[in-house]
Amino acid sequence: MNQLLLIPIVAFAKLLTLALRASGWGSGTALPGYLVGRYFPFVLKALVSQIPVVVAITGTNGKTTSQTMLSAVLDQAPQAKVLRNKAGANLSQGILSELLKQSNAVGRLDFTHAVLEVEEATLPRIARLIKPNIIAVTNLYRDQLDAYGEVDRTEKLIRDGIAQCPTAAVVVNGDDPRTSRLTQGLENATYFMSLAPEYARFLPYEGKLNSRVPDSQGLEATNIHINEDLTTDFSVQGQINSERVNLPQAKTVSPGFFHVYNALTAIAIAHLLGIDGATAIAGLKAFKPAFGRGEILTRQQGDKQVNYRLLLVKNPASFSLSLELLRNIPSLKLILAINDNTADGKDVSWLWDSELERLNQANIDWILCTGIRAKDMAVRLKYALDVPPGPIPAEESIRQAIDSSFKKVGSGDTVFVLPTYTAMLEFRKLMGKTLDVL
C-alpha cells in the first residue's frame, strides 16, 4: 500500500520543486521534504531502505567536505552509484527532498550508496529511521550557541544517534577529546582518525588532546605539507580491521591540516566498503572543493581577471584555523563577510572568541569587512590588529564589497574571502554561482 502511495507523493514533490525554481522562490532543497515528512512520515524510510549502503556524516565542521571527498572516491569505483545531499541541506527535510528528487516516477531509487551529511541535532531521528551502515563524526566545537547551547548537549545528541545503530561502524576524529569518547560503552566498531602529534597540537580542541593508542583501529596522517597553492600533501598509515594501510603519497586540494582529517575519514570509509588505497588516492585527486570550502570563483571584466577563494567560517575554531592558514600568504587581500541570519547564528559574540590576533603575523595588503555585521567585524579587528593596514572599510552590501575589491587589485590576483554561511551563499550568487548548479 505504501509503495502505491509513493507515486502521487513523489509526483507532488517533483512538481513543487519545479514550481519553486520557476518562480524564483527557492530551489526545492527543503520545502518538498518538509511537507512530505510532516504528512507522510513513512516516505523517508521507504525511500532510503532501497539503497544498500548508507553512510551518515556529522560533526561541527567538515561534514560537507568529508561527504564530497568520499563521493569522489566512490565515483572511482566500478558500478558505484552515489546519492548525496550535495546542496548541504542536512536537516531531515533536506535529506528527504534529495531522495524525492532523485527517485523515479514510481518512487524507485537506483543507487548503490547514499552518502548523507547530517546536522548534529538531527542525527538521533535520522539514525533511527535510516539505520546507516557507517557513521562518521568529524569534530565537536562550540557552534551557534543560540541554536544548540553548550557543546555537551551536541555531544549527547550524537552519542544517542550512534547508540540507536549498534551494528554501524563508527569513524571518528581520534584527536578530538569529545569525538574520541563517543562510543565508550557502546557496541559499535570504532575507527580513529588522527594526525601525527606535531600537527594535531595546533588544533583548538576543547580539553586535552587525545593520545592515540598504539595499534588501535584507524589511520594516522604524517609528513603533512601545505604547498604554496594551499594544496596539502600527506602520508597515511594505520590499520582497518586486520589489514594494514600504508599510503606514502596522498594529496588533497582542500587547504589546511584540518582538511586532512576529512581525507582520512574518506579513505577509512572507502576501505570499510572494500575500496583499495590506490582508488581512494585517485578519488582524492579528482575531488573538487565543496561550495565555499576552498572553492575558487573568478570574476572577469575585459582583460582583467580576479580570483576569489572562499573559506567558510562558522565558529571560533574554523575562523582561527583559516586565519592560521593565511599567515604565509604574500600580500594578503582579505574580505571578511559576516552575517547574522538564522543559518549563521544570531549571536555573533563568537567573533571575540576567534583568534583574529593571528593576522598580526600575516603580510596584509588590505582588509575589507562586509555583510550584515560588517561594523561588528571591523570593531573586532580594531582590537585584534597591532598595526592595521590603513583604514578598514565596513561595507554592509556584499555586492559593493565585490565591486570595490575588484577595483583594488590587479589582473591575476587572488582575494581571500572568509564568509559565514549565508554570506557565502550571497557571495556565490553575486558571482553567478548557485547551489542548483552543483
Side-chain angles (χ1 to χ4, degrees):
M1 182 64 178
N2 282 349
Q3 186 62 45
L4 290 176
L5 279 175
L6 278 180
I7 297 174
I9 292 170
V10 169
F12 162 76
K14 290 182 180 294
L15 287 172
L16 178 57
T17 299
L18 289 173
L20 288 169
R21 292 181 176 180
S23 66
W25 291 350
S27 58
T29 59
L31 184 59
Y34 171 77
L35 294 174
V36 170
R38 180 169 183 176
Y39 295 105
F40 306 98
F42 73 90
V43 172
L44 176 60
K45 186 174 182 180
L47 290 175
V48 80
S49 63
Q50 300 176 38
I51 304 175
V53 177
V54 178
V55 178
I57 301 175
T58 193
T60 309
N61 301 319
K63 297 185 291 291
T64 302
T65 298
S66 295
Q67 180 206 54
T68 310
M69 285 182 174
L70 177 58
S71 297
V73 170
L74 290 173
D75 286 343
Q76 301 292 314
Q79 311 305 319
K81 296 183 68 175
V82 183
L83 179 147
R84 62 188 182 102
N85 50 333
K86 60 186 177 182
N90 54 25
L91 300 174
S92 57
Q93 58 261 36
I95 293 169
L96 180 52
S97 290
E98 186 65 25
L99 291 166
L100 289 163
K101 184 176 75 172
Q102 297 294 342
S103 64
N104 65 15
V106 295
R108 303 303 300 173
L109 288 162
D110 183 24
F111 294 94
T112 59
H113 300 77
V115 181
L116 303 175
E117 173 187 337
V118 181
E119 184 261 353
E120 301 94 297
T122 303
L123 183 66
R125 178 175 181 272
I126 285 292
R128 182 174 68 253
L129 292 173
I130 70 176
K131 297 296 182 183
N133 305 86
I134 300 172
I135 299 173
V137 188
T138 58
N139 47 59
L140 275 174
Y141 289 115
R142 295 183 185 276
D143 187 40
Q144 295 188 22
L145 290 177
D146 52 342
Y148 298 123
E150 289 297 324
V151 71
D152 293 340
R153 179 171 178 269
T154 310
E155 181 181 343
K156 183 180 184 303
L157 287 168
I158 293 176
R159 179 179 168 86
D160 288 348
I162 295 172
Q164 295 182 60
C165 308
T167 61
V170 179
V171 178
V172 299
N173 182 327
D175 295 330
D176 186 334
R178 290 187 178 276
T179 58
S180 61
R181 67 192 183 201
L182 279 171
T183 58
Q184 289 180 4
L186 300 180
E187 301 174 23
N188 304 79
T190 306
Y191 305 86
F192 300 92
M193 305 300 107
S194 301
L195 307 188
E198 60 266 31
Y199 308 108
R201 63 189 178 91
F202 291 109
L203 280 293
Y205 294 120
E206 294 195 357
K208 184 179 179 181
L209 185 72
N210 188 56
S211 299
R212 180 177 171 84
V213 178
D215 297 322
S216 62
Q217 294 289 325
L219 302 177
E220 182 180 73
T222 59
N223 303 318
I224 304 173
H225 179 71
I226 300 174
N227 304 308
E228 289 186 6
D229 62 356
L230 297 188
T231 58
T232 306
D233 296 321
F234 58 100
S235 303
V236 180
Q237 58 186 14
Q239 179 173 307
I240 301 293
N241 296 332
S242 59
E243 295 184 38
R244 296 296 302 175
V245 178
N246 184 25
L247 305 174
Q249 291 183 313
K251 188 184 190 75
T252 176
V253 296
S254 285
F257 295 152
F258 46 100
H259 283 306
V260 176
Y261 286 111
N262 303 326
L264 289 176
T265 297
I267 293 169
I269 294 174
H271 201 90
L272 289 170
L273 296 176
I275 297 173
D276 60 74
T279 302
I281 295 301
L284 289 178
K285 186 176 181 180
F287 156 79
K288 294 181 180 179
F291 63 100
R293 282 79 168 177
E295 176 186 30
I296 297 176
L297 305 179
T298 300
R299 183 177 187 182
Q300 185 157 357
Q301 290 183 359
D303 295 332
K304 184 176 181 179
Q305 177 178 297
V306 176
N307 298 316
Y308 291 84
R309 186 154 198 173
L310 276 59
L311 300 170
L312 176 68
V313 296
K314 28 185 265 182
N315 50 43
S318 61
F319 208 161
S320 300
L321 290 171
S322 292
L323 294 172
E324 179 68 24
L325 186 66
L326 300 180
R327 287 199 323 176
N328 297 320
I329 300 296
S331 189
L332 176 63
K333 301 162 183 63
L334 181 62
I335 295 176
L336 302 176
I338 309 299
N339 279 355
D340 65 351
N341 295 312
T342 301
D344 308 297
K346 305 295 289 184
D347 181 356
V348 296
S349 63
W350 63 275
L351 296 176
W352 292 88
D353 294 325
S354 303
E355 298 177 28
L356 274 295
E357 289 74 13
R358 297 190 187 204
L359 285 171
N360 288 311
Q361 283 75 53
N363 180 16
I364 303 171
D365 189 350
W366 52 260
I367 302 176
L368 190 159
C369 299
T370 189
I372 299 169
R373 303 304 286 266
K375 293 178 181 178
D376 297 77
M377 187 71 256
V379 170
R380 176 68 182 95
L381 285 171
K382 177 182 177 181
Y383 285 88
L385 298 179
D386 296 334
V387 182
I392 298 176
E395 300 179 357
E396 292 187 14
S397 168
I398 293 177
R399 181 186 297 276
Q400 291 180 13
I402 294 173
D403 291 340
S404 60
S405 65
F406 189 82
K407 295 174 183 176
K408 290 166 70 75
V409 298
S411 183
D413 284 347
T414 296
V415 178
F416 288 84
V417 184
L418 274 58
T420 58
Y421 186 74
T422 68
M424 179 266 290
L425 295 181
E426 184 177 352
F427 197 100
R428 294 182 83 254
K429 185 174 182 180
L430 290 168
M431 294 286 287
K433 299 281 284 185
T434 67
L435 295 182
D436 292 342
V437 300
L438 291 174

